[in-house]
Amino acid sequence: NAGVTQTPKFQVLKTGQSMTLQCAQDMNHEYMSWYRQDPGMGLRLIHYSVGAGITDQGEVPNGYNVSRSTTEDFPLRLLSAAPSQTSVYFCASSRTRRSYGYTFGSGTRLTVV
Amino acid sequence: KNEVEQSPQNLTAQEGEFITINCSYSVGISALHWLQQHPGGGIVSLFMLSSGKKKHGRLIATINIQEKHSSLHITASHPRDSAVYICAVDTGNQFYFGTGTSLTVIP
C-alpha cells in the first residue's frame, strides 16, 4: 500500500517551460488536492477534485491546470513556468473531502529559473 | 488578510511539559484540521474537528465554534514531538492554512 506517490521529488525548470507534476494514490480515495507551500505563507490550495471527471479551483489556481480522468491520478500541469511558481508542491487525498485523515505525498520541490 | 492565525509562531519546551498551540480563524467553517509537518517535510493529519474535543494518545484538540478558536494540546511532551503544527480550516469552498507553529522539545 504505497499511499500517495508524487513525482518528481525535485525539478528545475527554465522560465516558460511546461511540465506536469504527477500524483497517484492507491487507496480508492475520491478527494484529491494540490497545495503549494511557500516560506512565511503556509500551505495554499491550488486545485481539488471530488471524483473522477470533477475538478475545481482553490485559492491560487492561476498558472496551473488539472484533470482527473481516473480515481487514482491527479496530475498538476504548469503551462508556462514563472519564477513565482518556485515552491514546494504537495498532493493529498482522502476518502471524501469531509473525511478525517488526509494522506499527503512527500512533496515536489520545484525551482523556476 | 489572514483567515487563520496561529500562536505562538515558535515554541521551545522541556521534555515532559504540557504544550498548547492556538488557532483562531475569521471565516465560517465546516471543519478544522490539525496537521503535523516533520523536519524532513512530510505532512501527517492529526485531527479533523467540527465541534467539541478529540483525543489521540498524548494529543488533544478542542474547538469552540462560537469563538472561532481551536487549541492543540500535547501532554508529556517528548523530543519526537518536535515538528511544525499547522491549523487548517475548510469553509466548504476553500481551505485556508495557518503559517504553522514550530515546536522544539528539548530532552
Side-chain angles (χ1 to χ4, degrees):
Chain A
N1 190 342
V4 175
T5 303
Q6 278 186 246
T7 56
K9 292 192 184 304
F10 301 95
Q11 183 71 49
V12 178
L13 285 180
K14 293 183 178 178
T15 298
Q17 285 185 318
S18 62
M19 79 159 294
T20 299
L21 307 185
Q22 301 291 345
C23 176
Q25 52 90 10
D26 60 0
M27 298 169 284
N28 201 31
H29 284 173
E30 292 296 322
Y31 185 78
M32 296 186 74
S33 48
W34 277 102
Y35 308 86
R36 59 178 290 173
Q37 187 175 38
D38 302 294
M41 297 195 69
L43 288 154
R44 289 181 291 172
L45 178 64
I46 304 172
H47 284 286
Y48 65 92
S49 169
V50 297
I54 306 169
T55 64
D56 209 341
Q57 297 181 347
E59 186 184 0
V60 288
N62 292 340
Y64 307 95
N65 271 1
V66 291
S67 59
R68 183 97 180 269
S69 55
T70 67
T71 299
E72 295 77 20
D73 299 297
F74 190 45
L76 179 72
R77 296 182 187 86
L78 281 70
L79 308 174
S80 178
S84 61
Q85 294 178 303
T86 294
S87 188
V88 180
Y89 291 85
F90 288 95
C91 177
S93 74
S94 66
R95 189 172 56 84
T96 68
R97 182 180 179 130
R98 303 294 157 83
S99 299
Y100 161 71
Y102 281 47
T103 302
F104 284 80
S106 57
T108 295
R109 185 173 294 273
L110 175 68
T111 303
V112 182
V113 297
Chain B
K1 154 168 103 74
N2 294 324
E3 290 81 2
V4 181
E5 299 279 359
Q6 286 185 238
S7 63
Q9 282 190 305
N10 298 285
L11 183 55
T12 301
Q14 291 292 131
E15 183 173 356
E17 284 186 4
F18 181 86
I19 289 162
T20 296
I21 298 170
N22 295 300
C23 174
S24 296
Y25 53 92
S26 59
V27 292
I29 70 169
S30 58
L32 181 144
H33 295 255
W34 281 102
L35 309 173
Q36 180 192 53
Q37 187 165 27
H38 298 293
I43 300 174
V44 175
S45 279
L46 298 176
F47 294 103
M48 185 185 76
L49 296 159
S50 54
S51 64
K53 174 180 174 177
K54 289 192 177 178
K55 184 175 188 290
H56 184 244
R58 295 180 295 106
L59 301 179
I60 302 167
T62 65
I63 188 168
N64 185 318
I65 296 293
Q66 287 72 30
E67 295 188 2
K68 295 188 174 179
H69 182 268
S70 176
S71 293
L72 177 68
H73 306 286
I74 304 175
T75 62
S77 59
H78 190 276
R80 65 174 175 267
D81 297 326
S82 298
V84 175
Y85 292 84
I86 300 168
C87 173
V89 299
D90 182 359
T91 67
N93 295 319
Q94 291 293 342
F95 267 94
Y96 297 109
F97 294 81
T99 54
T101 294
S102 179
L103 171 65
T104 302
V105 181
I106 300 170

